[in-house]
Amino acid sequence: ASEAGPGGVCDCKSGSHCDATSGDCVCDEGFVDAADGECAAPECTSDADCDDDLPCNGRETCSPAGACVSGAAIVCQGTGRACDAESGDCACAPGYEEALEGVAESLDCVPVSSTELVDFEEVLLDDTGFWKGADGSGALQVGGARFSNHYDTEYESWDGFAVSNWADSETPGFANQYSAFPGAGAGGSEAYAISYIGFTAAPRIDFPGADEGVFVDGVHITNSTYTALSMLQGDEYSKKFGGDGGTDPDWFRLTITGYDAAGGSTGAVEVYLADYRFDDPSDDQVLDLWQSVSLVTLGAVHALDFVLDSSDVGDWGMNTPGYFALDDLRFTPLTLWSSTLESVSLDAESFWNGADGSGGIEEGGVYYGNSYDPEYLSWQGFAVANTTDTETATWENQYSAIPGRGAKDSEQWAVGYGSSGSAAGEQPWLSFTGDPDGVWPQSVSITNTSYAFLTMANGDDYSKTFGGADGQDPDWFQLSIRGLTAGGDLTDPIEVYLADFRSDDDAEDFILKDWQLVDLRPLGRVVGLFFDLSSTDNGDWGMNTPAYFALDDLDVLRTEP
């Protein structure tokens, strides 16, 4: 702390004193040796003195010499995990969430999904243990889903949906109508929905907060105890399934139907709650567990309806009690995306045809494929244009749309070029970015290019006048649109006639000159679209009709916000 003076007499500095035994300078009580050899007041006396309230940069400690020592920063293992600034624990980082139950155990977190889970656990139930609509609400909203309910105040009866936490899987009869046969909700949870199909409308789930509809991943379904025991044992109204000999081919079935915004069906999924149709009676079964039911084939829906039917029917309809239980409804609200080509930067009366070698162009969540040959300065696939020449009938005018404007009087559109019968990779094609599982195409506007229209109307050195000299030839020019699924399959085509002279009435013959809105919903969920042109005017080298069409305003529904 300081040097000894002549003759062993200490010459001690501030914060130190001379030790009477050794004659050396030592630090005063409460002082510690500093790096410069002097004594100094300690930086800390306990670990608490060093804590900077930032747990993620490591735990600070107080050394025996009274100095604060930094700890090692916390490094979290696993994808999507980070140190929580408040607790110092490793947790899912912003934008990530814990993996769903059933995923292989790991430290990984997964990106936050917009999928909503309705598990009914937050529904407030009174001491009866159920809600059946006695409040007169007519429906129950849980998260983004609304469950229909009809309550009759005179008879205190209900149909549609109720919510329950009853767990009686042994008591038969109507008095136990609120129990699910497994004795708990899906995954052992407490609450779930019970549905009864009475004499009013079919039980319905709709999604009032999703203007564009939802994509329903699936739901868990099982029997109610009342219905299950009725089928297993029989009662005064219903037969024992299988009959006395156990060989009757009985069945009890739930049909779930999806509906679009216009009320049209998007498809149906069947679930057998009991099935005794097997040749081997040991295979007969009454569903006693929660069955996960995929509803992805229903596509984009605005509502779901539920209908029960049974092999056991009488004069008044189905004898089997019309109940089932439902839990863990999983759905994702859909967003409408539009590709209008307006954001593509073009000079006036110009085009992009892939000469930059990019191989395509992205706009509005859609990637328009393009193949450009620099040797011949030629292209196929898609180009983007705003040229407005509706009078020049030559190849030099290949980019103009015959209406002279885009759909809805916009300024720009896409031009597709590709020969009939080309391989899938050589046809005009586009893909949807940002969602590897695909999107739901809704509609697109299609028309002729000026080049193709004027060629069909007037003929040229290579192509005939449609209809022939007397207008009687049954000519046609057709665009087929197929979807490509995530599994690599092509859908059935949607066919658009760009010209059609097949009618017996000449007045009905046409060459498309306006933008035509094409419904793409039958394609379902796809990751891309392929376009193929064909014509009645063909020669030794293939189709004589110029293989061009114009496209605009492609609308799709997707799960990404």
Side-chain angles (χ1 to χ4, degrees), residues 92 106 110 133 144 166 168 267 368 406 444 478 481 514:
C92 292
S106 72
V110 296
W166 284 21
D168 184 349
Y368 296 85
V444 67
Q478 183 189 73
I481 307 173
D514 298 316

Side-chain angles (χ1 to χ4, degrees), residues 203-395:
R204 167 166 284 213
I205 302 174
D206 58 18
F207 307 91
D211 294 339
E212 306 298 341
V214 302
F215 172 62
V216 184
D217 296 279
V219 68
H220 281 82
I221 297 292
T222 194
N223 278 299
S224 73
T225 299
Y226 175 27
T227 303
L229 294 179
S230 174
M231 293 186 287
L232 289 168
Q233 302 169 3
D235 58 32
E236 57 183 314
Y237 303 105
S238 310
K239 69 171 290 187
K240 176 182 177 181
F241 269 37
D244 292 336
T247 58
D248 292 356
D250 291 309
W251 50 266
F252 182 45
R253 179 175 59 195
L254 172 67
T255 301
I256 307 172
T257 303
Y259 291 93
D260 60 24
S265 171
T266 65
V269 173
E270 295 181 346
V271 184
Y272 278 88
L273 298 170
D275 196 348
Y276 280 64
R277 298 173 300 163
F278 300 100
D279 293 334
D280 184 352
S282 65
D283 292 329
D284 295 341
Q285 55 95 22
V286 172
L287 186 62
D288 59 357
L289 300 173
W290 286 97
Q291 179 174 329
S292 180
V293 179
S294 173
L295 299 180
V296 297
T297 59
L298 301 183
V301 302
H302 282 72
L304 301 172
D305 276 3
F306 299 80
V307 174
L308 289 168
D309 58 346
S310 171
S311 57
D312 183 14
V313 295
D315 294 338
W316 301 98
M318 186 171 68
N319 294 329
T320 309
Y323 293 80
F324 68 93
L326 176 152
D327 203 359
D328 286 0
L329 175 68
R330 304 176 303 281
F331 62 92
T332 307
L334 297 173
T335 303
L336 182 66
W337 285 53
S338 297
S339 179
T340 64
L341 288 309
E342 296 302 297
S343 67
V344 178
S345 180
L346 296 178
D347 294 333
E349 296 294 326
S350 67
F351 56 83
W352 171 91
N353 66 357
D356 56 8
S358 60
I361 193 168
E362 183 174 2
E363 203 272 352
V366 180
Y367 183 81
Y368 296 85
N370 172 281
S371 176
Y372 186 82
D373 189 325
E375 180 179 358
Y376 294 98
L377 305 181
S378 63
W379 65 279
Q380 62 184 22
F382 280 103
V384 181
N386 59 21
T387 56
T388 57
D389 183 350
T390 61
E391 298 181 357
T392 303
T394 64
W395 175 83

Side-chain angles (χ1 to χ4, degrees), residues 29 73 158 183 260 350 365 375 401 409 418 437 501 505 533 551 558:
E29 184 177 358
W158 65 279
D260 60 24
S350 67
E375 180 179 358
D409 204 33
D437 294 321
F501 281 66
D505 184 352
L533 290 165
L551 174 153
R558 61 194 311 160

Side-chain angles (χ1 to χ4, degrees), residues 18-74:
C18 186
D19 181 75
T21 302
S22 66
D24 296 328
C25 291
V26 297
C27 291
D28 296 339
E29 184 177 358
F31 285 71
V32 295
D33 286 327
D36 58 4
E38 296 189 3
C39 292
E43 184 179 6
C44 59
T45 58
S46 69
D47 291 346
D49 295 335
C50 301
D51 190 358
D52 61 1
D53 294 323
L54 298 174
C56 292
N57 65 3
R59 179 173 178 266
E60 293 80 17
T61 58
C62 186
S63 72
C68 287
V69 179
S70 296
I74 296 175

Side-chain angles (χ1 to χ4, degrees), residues 124-132 134 163-167 175 178-179:
L124 297 177
L125 305 177
D126 58 24
D127 54 8
T128 65
F130 60 81
W131 174 93
K132 63 177 181 178
V163 178
S164 171
N165 62 15
W166 284 21
Y178 298 106
S179 290

